[in-house]
Structures are given as C-alpha cells and as structure tokens.
Amino acid sequence: MAGKISSTDVHKIQRHNVDDMISDLPEGVLLHILSLLPTEDVVRTSVLATKWRHLWTYLSVFDFKIPYPLYNKSKDQNQNSVNCLLDLVGRLLRKSNCVERLSIDIFVIGVDGDKVSSLISSASKHKLQYLKLSLGVPIPNDKFALPHCFSAFESLNELCLGLRFTLCIPSDICFPSLKKLVVSDVEFANEESVQQLFSGCPVLQELTLYNCYWENIEQINIAISTLRKLTIYFDPCCVDDEDDEMTVMIDAVNLLSLSCTCHAAIRFIPVNLTSIVDAHVHLEDYSQLVPVLYVAHCIFELLSGLNNVKSLDITNDTLECLIDRTEVDLNLLPTFHNLTHLCVYNFTDESTATSGVLPDILRKTPKLEVLYIPTVVREYLVGEDSLLNSLPCCLKSSLKRLCILYFSGDEDEIEFVRLFLKNAPFLGEIQLFCVRSLLANVEKVADIQDQLQSVRPGACVIKFLNGSAQRQYNLLAKFR
Amino acid sequence: MASSSSNLISLKTSDGTVFKVERALAKTMKTVQAIIEEADANIYMIPIHNVFSHHMDMIIDYYKLSVAGKSKEFSVEKLDNDELKDFLLAVHYLNMEDLFEVLTQAVADRLEKKSVGYVRKYFGIENDFTPEEYAAIRKKNDWAFKGDDIEPEEDEEKQEE
C-alpha cells in the first residue's frame, strides 16, 4: 500500500464490498427519481429485477401515449399494441390506489368501448385530480355513454375528453371540483347531453370546445356563472351546410376571456358579459353560401356583447365579412368604451392587406392606446375615408403605440406612417415588422427612419423589426 | 479581530476533515439543524457520517452559487455515475432539499431513454427473474418497449453511454 490514497479512492475501495448498490438508495429516493422520468422509462423498470417489478406503480403521475401508428406494422399489430396499453393501464389502476394525474393519448384507431368504461370505472377509485382521455373510434358501435361512475370523480380538477365517439351524457353526471374542462373531437348525441354536461360542472372556470360535432344540435347554451375563460374552436373550413343555422348562447357573468374561432354563420348570443376583459375573434365565411346580411348580423351581435372588452384580437377575415357596404350598415358596430388594445391580424397569409373596415372600427374605439394592423390601410390615403376628411378621435386623444405586422417600405406605407405621426400627438412608439428584403437594405431602412423622424423629431421611437412569421406568432401570443 | 465562533458550525466528515461553515449553510442541512437544536449547550463539533470532504467541497460550491442567485450554474457533469450516486446519498443523509432536487434531476437526466441494460449497470442491479417471468412481464408491458422483440441479453447489449 504505497503512496497516498485520496478520499475518493478510499470510498471506492469500501464500495467493492457491497454487491448490490441498490441498497444504497432508499426506496423513497428511487421513487423520487422515477417521478422525474417519462412514463415509458418508468414502466421499463418493471423488468430490472423482482424488487423493481411493482415499484413504478407507486408513482402518482402517468402519461401514456401512442401518438401515431407504427408504419412498419400491420393494422392488426397496431390494434394489439393499443389493446395491450389499455390492459396495462387497467392493471395499474386496479393495483395502485394513489394515481393523481393520468393521461391516455392514443391516435385514431378503434378502441373497445367496454375496455374504456372499465378503465374509467377503475380510475374513479383513485383521487384523480387530472384526467385526459384522447381515444379513437369505438368498436363495435359509434355511441359511447359516459359511465355513471364518472360522478365519483370528486377531486377531479381538470378533465380533457378527446373521445371521437357520439357521447351520451347521463342526466346525473356531476363533477363537484372540476375547474377546467376541455372537450375535443366529441360528437354530442343531442342538446340534452350538452346541457347535462355543463350543468354537471358547478365550479367550472375554464371551458374549451375544440372541433366538436353538432350534427343534430341547433342551439348550445353555455350558462355557467363561474366561468372565467371560454375557448371555442370549430374548424372554419370543416362545416356542413346544416351547421349554418347553429346558435351558441353564452351566459357567463364572470367571464374574463373569450376566444371564438369558427364559421361566420354560427350565431353567438352573448348575455351579460359584464366582466369581459379580453376577446379573440376569428370568424371566417369560408363557404360563402350564407347571405352576407346574416353573417354581418351575427358578427354585430357578438361584438355588441363584447363591447366592454379592454383588449381585442380580431382577424382580418372577420372584418372582411363586413366589407360589402351596399348590404352592411357599419353604423351598427358597437362602441368599445374600454378598449385600449386592438390587434388585427391575418389568420393565414400575413401579407393580406388590412380590411377597409378598419377605419369604421377605429371610430368606435375612443380610448384606443395600442394598435396592431397587418399592413397599412390604403383607405386612409385615398377615397372617402382619406385622412383629409375624417380622423378617428382616438388618434388625437389616446393612441400611444402603432405596430404594422407586414411592412415592405414602399411610398404608400411611408406616407401612412407619416400621417399617423402628424396626427397622433401621444404616439410614442412605432414597431414596423419588415420583410427580409427591406431589413437587408440597411441604407433604405436608415432613409425611411430619417423621413419618419423628420415629422416630429425625437418624439417617437421607431423600430424596424424582423417580420418572420414565428416572431409574429410569439408576439401575438404575448399580446394575448 | 476574531470572528464570533457562534456564527460558524464545525462539521467533521467521514474522512476526518473539519469544515467550518456558516450557520446559514448548516441550516440548509436539516439533519445537522436537528442535532444543533437537540443539543443542550453549544455543540463543539458535529460528525457527519456518509459525507466525505469532496462532498462538502461541492456542497459549499453550491451554497455560494445559490446565495449569489446563480444556482443554475451548479453542474455535476464532471461526476461519473458512481460519484453522482454517492453525492446524492450524502445530500439525502444531510436532508438538504434544494440540492437533493438538483441531484435527483441529474440522475434522472442520465437515465432518461436509456435501455434496461444501462439502468441495471447504473444501479448495479442483478436480473433475478427467470426467463419465463421476464418474458411474461416484458410482454404485458410491451408498450414501454416500443413493441420491439427484445430478448433479455439484447437489453444488456443496448448500452447507450
């Protein structure tokens, strides 16, 4: 034993006498480490040794998914994989009693409705707080009745149902603690089902209806007094003609935030939305089959119900539904007394010009402080709305920030910004999101900066920013 | 000017080194804190078993970084798997919450997406299943193995370092 031994060496020498290092780490520590790993890794530990066989089942958070089929396997093999997973989850739920968060997310493939019912039944014995079920088409038949035991989920705070089934909701369904509900890809059997689901959530705060199917349904009533946030997303392009007459009533006195993305012919009836703070509206008349006047009426009715809002995101496509002045009386637009932030943006092609309806909107936003628009508004430079004739009063009294999301630096655009600078004394910041070719032309940018600054030297900060779609998306997300 | 000795706590590691640490640092060690509180008079020296001087060095590093608001800069990358496990045991013994979270996360990061063989090696686990038992469990939990047909030996071979 010549020479010095460092403390690490001593430690290693001692280590050699211990055969199984597992005894070094107590079970609690092992479970803690497992809780930091993805569920797939965790289940794999079951084959390490007999001592590990059931250790993973003591965890409380599980995320099982088969996001897509394996393309090198046959349909039957994929079906087997799915059944195998459902059986695995069933065994877990029967063995354990401490599952708190469970997510099962399987791509669209047939699942056995009985297996699903049995899973839900086993899950109801745990004190689940979060449950996500995103499952495919049921076999043998389309309909799936939510089992009554669903009412036993007393501690459930958050539920995500992505069941591509025709859903029958029992009349006594009740989720006493449910605060957040996401329903996607579901087809409701009838109007009663929808009502029963909503009235079974006495403390619901957030509701999302995503791509649901309403074939036999003409009216949905969302009357939830505790609701704070409502998101409705019906793919605007995937709408039957039969859906054109659908009505959605929203009666939610505590609603703070509303987001509606759907076909413009769906009629929203807002009732008593006195608490509303922000709204996001994208209504697209994709099919052009419904009379313009009806669409306009729907939009006016929705906007009127939102007239207390402080912040509004509205797409250019929505405004374009109102563009036909021979049919549409834009005086029917409500006045937004509290609106300080308005963002108009393009849902798809970012370069589409700002709707000519914008000047009419601006006349109804007396307190506007921040304005985002896709491109400059040509109507302000020529024609009846030319700024020589009429100027929205919010420019003179409150506008502080202007952002143009697609700026290429041509003469009209520069003139537009100059007009704003001249007529908006409180304007302190302008953000111009530029196309790449403009940003690359450093001299041109400097020249435009000079031209603009000469209007009111030093009074306004003018920024030339990268207009890439991703940046815009991030920006808009922050804005919301 | 002699500093007040009541602000420093003496900790003696397993390999006999004495560390004088600030009371605030000793407070993050719940085990040590319990010993101090249970003692009648001012305790002179607290022995900390299972903790070696190289562990204390790292603990002091972490403490200094977190006091400066830079705890994210603390890294255990240079430790090999055995050293990391030992350090985790030491920190677990001392019952230091924040550092424990950091170290368990570091271990989890090293195990993530690794094969069964790798995990066995990491913890030094012996496979005490019969081949039949192994095959049965493997089949039932097939989802976690991405449906590949893997024999036990193949698991061992797939050691991604």
Side-chain angles (χ1 to χ4, degrees):
Chain A
M1 266 199 326
K4 274 197 171 163
I5 306 173
S6 76
S7 60
T8 353
D9 288 344
V10 167
H11 200 218
K12 281 188 175 148
I13 289 169
Q14 288 177 346
R15 172 67 66 229
H16 272 309
N17 295 326
V18 179
D19 282 344
D20 182 359
M21 304 209 207
I22 214 75
S23 53
D24 285 356
L25 286 175
E27 201 171 271
V29 176
L30 289 177
L31 271 175
H32 191 89
I33 295 172
L34 286 186
S35 75
L36 300 169
L37 289 169
T39 303
E40 217 176 287
D41 289 8
V42 154
V43 173
R44 269 210 300 282
T45 64
S46 57
V47 297
L48 286 172
T50 53
K51 213 177 144 170
W52 284 79
R53 185 172 179 169
H54 297 299
L55 187 65
W56 67 276
T57 65
Y58 293 114
L59 293 173
S60 55
V61 177
F62 294 94
D63 185 4
F64 295 99
K65 52 176 166 256
I66 306 183
Y68 40 75
L70 287 178
Y71 297 105
N72 57 349
K73 300 261 159 100
S74 73
K75 185 159 191 273
D76 274 348
Q77 283 173 315
N78 275 309
Q79 191 76 61
N80 280 339
S81 304
V82 170
N83 287 336
C84 187
L85 174 59
L86 291 179
D87 287 339
L88 164 60
V89 181
R91 281 196 310 275
L92 165 69
L93 290 174
R94 286 189 296 275
K95 177 154 191 14
S96 155
N97 62 1
C98 53
V99 178
E100 288 175 11
R101 294 179 64 97
L102 174 65
S103 168
I104 309 176
D105 192 345
I106 300 181
F107 68 93
V108 181
I109 193 174
V111 290
D112 185 340
D114 288 336
K115 261 203 224 287
V116 176
S117 288
S118 154
L119 263 181
I120 295 175
S121 180
S122 303
S124 67
K125 302 185 179 95
H126 297 250
K127 291 200 172 55
L128 272 183
Q129 292 172 16
Y130 172 92
L131 176 63
K132 176 174 173 177
L133 285 177
S134 192
L135 304 173
V137 181
I139 42 176
N141 58 36
D142 266 347
K143 283 195 177 19
F144 179 75
L146 270 189
H148 286 265
C149 64
F150 238 124
S151 304
F153 285 90
E154 286 178 354
S155 42
L156 197 64
N157 273 339
E158 202 175 321
L159 174 63
C160 300
L161 280 182
L163 301 171
R164 294 168 195 85
F165 305 174
T166 302
L167 214 52
C168 303
I169 314 265
S171 55
D172 57 349
I173 200 96
C174 181
F175 299 102
S177 312
L178 197 67
K179 295 219 175 93
K180 186 169 170 186
L181 175 63
V182 176
V183 182
S184 66
D185 300 297
V186 164
E187 175 163 1
F188 287 95
N190 47 40
E191 282 179 34
E192 283 78 38
S193 275
V194 185
Q195 292 323 120
Q196 266 141 25
L197 180 59
F198 295 157
S199 51
C201 304
V203 298
L204 196 66
Q205 292 182 7
E206 278 188 45
L207 174 64
T208 299
L209 298 173
Y210 189 94
N211 272 348
C212 296
Y213 295 94
W214 315 98
E215 236 177 70
N216 302 317
I217 296 175
E218 284 181 7
Q219 168 139 345
I220 314 174
N221 292 335
I222 305 175
I224 305 173
S225 63
T226 50
L227 200 63
R228 293 194 193 161
K229 185 171 174 188
L230 175 61
T231 305
I232 294 179
Y233 185 101
F234 305 154
D235 193 339
C237 314
C238 297
V239 162
D240 282 326
D241 292 335
E242 289 143 26
D243 288 349
D244 286 349
E245 301 299 315
M246 201 168 95
T247 305
V248 178
M249 189 193 75
I250 305 172
D251 181 355
V253 71
N254 287 307
L255 194 69
L256 299 173
S257 170
L258 173 66
S259 172
C260 295
T261 303
C262 57
H263 192 281
I266 294 182
R267 187 179 163 214
F268 288 93
I269 306 176
V271 173
N272 215 7
L273 300 183
T274 49
S275 309
I276 194 100
V277 172
D278 64 86
H280 166 266
V281 176
H282 172 58
L283 304 172
E284 198 175 339
D285 188 3
Y286 202 73
S287 64
Q288 307 264 327
L289 291 172
V290 182
V292 164
L293 209 53
Y294 183 76
V295 167
H297 177 76
C298 290
I299 296 179
F300 287 143
E301 195 170 3
L302 175 59
L303 291 180
S304 298
L306 293 174
N307 70 345
N308 279 332
V309 87
K310 290 192 180 137
S311 165
L312 176 64
D313 275 5
I314 188 164
T315 56
N316 227 4
D317 311 82
T318 313
L319 297 184
E320 280 297 291
C321 294
L322 303 172
I323 198 70
D324 186 350
R325 283 164 207 267
T326 61
E327 296 253 21
V328 179
D329 179 6
L330 284 168
N331 290 320
L332 292 175
L333 280 170
T335 302
F336 295 94
H337 298 282
N338 299 325
L339 191 68
T340 55
H341 284 60
L342 174 64
C343 173
V344 181
Y345 71 101
N346 280 316
F347 195 73
T348 44
D349 181 359
E350 60 182 1
S351 62
T352 307
T354 304
S355 171
V357 171
L358 182 73
D360 298 85
I361 303 267
L362 289 184
R363 276 191 261 281
K364 304 279 185 155
T365 57
K367 301 249 174 65
L368 193 67
E369 292 177 17
V370 175
L371 176 63
Y372 281 66
I373 47 178
T375 65
V376 304
V377 187
R378 313 274 165 187
E379 281 77 359
Y380 270 149
L381 301 172
V382 294
E384 281 180 23
D385 279 312
S386 150
L387 282 172
L388 297 171
N389 292 339
S390 66
L391 204 62
C393 65
C394 57
L395 253 66
K396 282 225 162 339
S397 60
S398 52
L399 192 68
K400 294 189 182 136
R401 183 172 7 136
L402 171 69
C403 303
I404 301 178
L405 298 170
Y406 189 87
F407 189 80
S408 45
D410 69 28
E411 297 270 334
D412 276 353
E413 290 176 312
I414 299 172
E415 184 57 28
F416 176 87
V417 181
R418 282 172 62 98
L419 276 174
F420 264 71
L421 277 166
K422 252 192 243 166
N423 292 291
F426 300 105
L427 192 56
E429 187 183 346
I430 296 181
Q431 291 179 0
L432 301 170
F433 288 87
C434 306
V435 300
R436 213 187 303 169
S437 53
L438 174 60
L439 268 186
N441 188 343
V442 180
E443 272 178 30
K444 182 154 188 212
V445 168
D447 179 50
I448 298 176
Q449 176 81 254
D450 286 339
Q451 284 188 54
L452 295 175
Q453 285 292 0
S454 66
V455 179
R456 275 193 298 134
C460 183
V461 172
I462 302 174
K463 294 184 188 164
F464 292 79
L465 302 166
N466 185 347
S468 74
Q470 182 57 47
R471 219 190 121 83
Q472 285 199 23
Y473 179 77
N474 293 340
L475 182 88
L476 292 173
K478 263 198 292 197
F479 181 88
R480 278 176 218 126
Chain B
M1 192 166 74
S3 53
S4 163
S5 59
S6 64
N7 279 336
L8 294 178
I9 309 280
S10 292
L11 301 173
K12 186 172 180 183
T13 58
S14 287
D15 49 347
T17 318
V18 177
F19 287 83
K20 286 201 166 73
V21 301
E22 288 174 30
R23 196 169 270 273
L25 169 51
K27 267 207 167 125
T28 67
M29 305 173 182
K30 292 206 178 125
T31 311
V32 168
Q33 193 60 22
I35 296 174
I36 295 175
E37 279 164 13
E38 271 185 38
D40 288 333
N42 278 334
I43 198 161
Y44 177 61
M45 174 104 63
I46 302 172
I48 41 177
H49 310 295
N50 308 320
V51 183
F52 287 80
S53 48
H54 58 276
H55 295 147
M56 272 309 298
D57 288 333
M58 289 192 283
I59 289 171
I60 292 172
D61 278 347
Y62 177 76
Y63 176 71
K64 284 186 185 155
L65 281 173
S66 55
V67 159
K70 294 182 187 170
S71 48
K72 292 232 158 82
E73 287 179 25
F74 182 75
S75 163
V76 289
E77 263 174 39
K78 56 184 178 345
L79 297 179
D80 69 29
N81 288 339
D82 282 338
E83 289 165 340
L84 178 57
K85 267 207 321 269
D86 286 343
F87 189 25
L88 176 59
L89 274 172
V91 168
H92 181 251
Y93 167 77
L94 290 172
N95 200 345
M96 306 179 70
E97 248 176 60
D98 290 350
L99 193 47
F100 181 75
E101 291 296 326
V102 170
L103 296 183
T104 47
Q105 185 64 59
V107 173
D109 289 345
R110 291 189 191 195
L111 293 174
E112 192 169 329
K113 295 194 170 55
K114 294 292 196 292
S115 70
V116 169
Y118 182 90
V119 176
R120 274 216 192 92
K121 192 163 161 244
Y122 184 92
F123 286 120
I125 306 167
E126 219 182 274
N127 180 2
D128 57 352
F129 284 120
T130 67
E132 293 81 27
E133 282 174 329
Y134 182 93
I137 306 171
R138 173 75 178 69
K139 189 172 174 199
K140 281 203 287 195
N141 296 341
D142 191 51
W143 166 79
F145 296 86
K146 291 193 163 59
D148 295 329
D149 297 318
I150 297 184
E151 296 305 318
E153 298 77 47
E154 281 179 47
D155 270 345
E156 309 287 344
E157 276 165 28
K158 237 179 36 178
Q159 280 161 23
E160 300 139 75
E161 291 287 336

